[in-house]
Amino acid sequence: MRAAPTALTVIPALMIREAIVVNGRAVGGYAWAILEPVLGIALLTLVFSAISSVPPIGAVYPLFYATGYLPFLFWSQAQARLMGSARSSKALLEHSSVTIPDVLISRILLAAITSAVVMTLIYAAIRLIWAPQERIDIASMSGAFVMTGLLAFGVGTLNAGIAGLFPTWEKIWGIGSRPLFMISGVFFPFLMLPETLRTGLWWNPLVHVVGMTREAVYAGYDASYVSPAYVLGFSALAAITGLALLLSSDRVRD
């Protein structure tokens, strides 16, 4: 008698399926996962280097913007994939062996693996070409990466729960969250801002994960404002609330 599927077998299968859906079977789909952040960093470097020859931190613009853009992109793409879980996985959820936590975990794991590979390649290239003197603290960078993933899981799960009740929420969030790119520290070191702005922006958890990332790259970076406890608490509360909404929603079980 064949054993019933478990999470250990279901989640890898869902990850493979998700990889095909997101990137397709062609090499071009995976190449775009690297090309998109490279183009984003290149554009930021081109624009701001025309204004000033020296970045706010360090000696080269590509590294400075990579430490802001890459964690933000990881968070943005991962939470977006999780937000669409309830809508795009209805057929899968009809199978008794597949649960909504399985779908959420498979999506965040795939996003994390993809982003980890992309970030490693980009940071290695930047160091090799522009900043061989910089020494990245691998342990601190890993901690910042995990924190970013947890934040993406929490926000994505919460949005999935809300979208399960109110389908138009995906569009509302898509528009309403756009300013986050401007106010999450991608363009500026947090402590360079006026205190009145810092007081309000501190509550944006993305400011903390970007700060953690920059602390891992720049030895002299002042990240005294960063609170991992706040990010963990925010992520946990969002994830628990989102899961409660998803598991209680009749839409998930339609």
Side-chain angles (χ1 to χ4, degrees):
M1 186 175 183
R2 181 179 297 178
T6 65
L8 293 177
T9 57
V10 171
I11 290 176
L14 291 174
M15 290 175 65
I16 294 172
R17 178 184 181 278
E18 181 71 5
I20 294 173
V21 170
V22 174
N23 299 312
R25 297 180 182 273
V27 176
Y30 297 92
W32 179 247
I34 298 175
L35 187 59
E36 181 182 3
V38 168
L39 291 175
I41 294 169
L43 179 60
L44 290 172
T45 298
L46 181 64
V47 171
F48 286 94
S49 62
I51 300 172
S52 173
S53 59
V54 181
I57 306 173
V60 294
Y61 272 104
L63 186 59
F64 174 73
Y65 286 118
T67 56
Y69 186 73
L70 291 177
F72 183 89
L73 187 65
F74 171 30
W75 171 84
S76 178
Q77 292 179 336
Q79 64 85 25
R81 293 303 304 171
L82 267 68
M83 180 169 57
S85 298
R87 169 181 47 79
S88 62
S89 301
K90 286 185 177 182
L92 286 173
L93 293 169
E94 291 179 358
H95 298 278
S96 59
S97 58
V98 179
T99 66
I100 191 63
D102 292 336
V103 174
L104 294 170
I105 292 171
S106 67
R107 292 192 174 199
I108 193 63
L109 286 178
L110 178 63
I113 292 171
T114 303
S115 293
V117 173
V118 170
M119 287 183 182
T120 299
L121 293 174
I122 292 177
Y123 280 131
I126 290 174
R127 283 194 60 206
L128 180 65
I129 299 171
W130 289 289
Q133 74 282 0
E134 298 291 349
R135 295 292 181 266
I136 296 176
D137 186 330
I138 301 300
S140 297
M141 179 64 78
S142 299
F145 182 83
V146 170
M147 203 73 68
T148 306
L150 292 174
L151 179 61
F153 183 81
V155 173
T157 302
L158 176 60
N159 282 331
I162 298 173
L165 296 173
F166 307 103
T168 56
W169 176 249
E170 288 192 47
K171 293 182 179 179
I172 294 173
W173 173 257
I175 297 172
S177 62
R178 287 177 184 174
L180 287 173
F181 185 62
M182 304 294 295
I183 61 172
S184 296
V186 175
F187 303 103
F188 50 80
F190 181 73
L191 292 180
M192 288 183 65
L193 295 174
E195 185 175 355
T196 52
L197 285 177
R198 295 203 306 265
T199 301
L201 291 182
W202 186 91
W203 297 99
N204 175 3
L206 287 167
V207 166
H208 298 259
V209 298
V210 170
M212 282 185 266
T213 303
R214 289 198 166 128
E215 184 183 29
V217 174
Y218 299 106
Y221 184 73
D222 183 359
S224 57
Y225 63 91
V226 169
S227 174
Y230 170 65
V231 178
L232 286 173
F234 184 97
S235 304
L237 180 61
I240 291 170
T241 304
L243 280 171
L245 292 173
L246 283 168
L247 295 176
S248 63
S249 174
D250 291 334
R251 292 180 183 271
V252 176
R253 296 179 170 84
D254 283 346

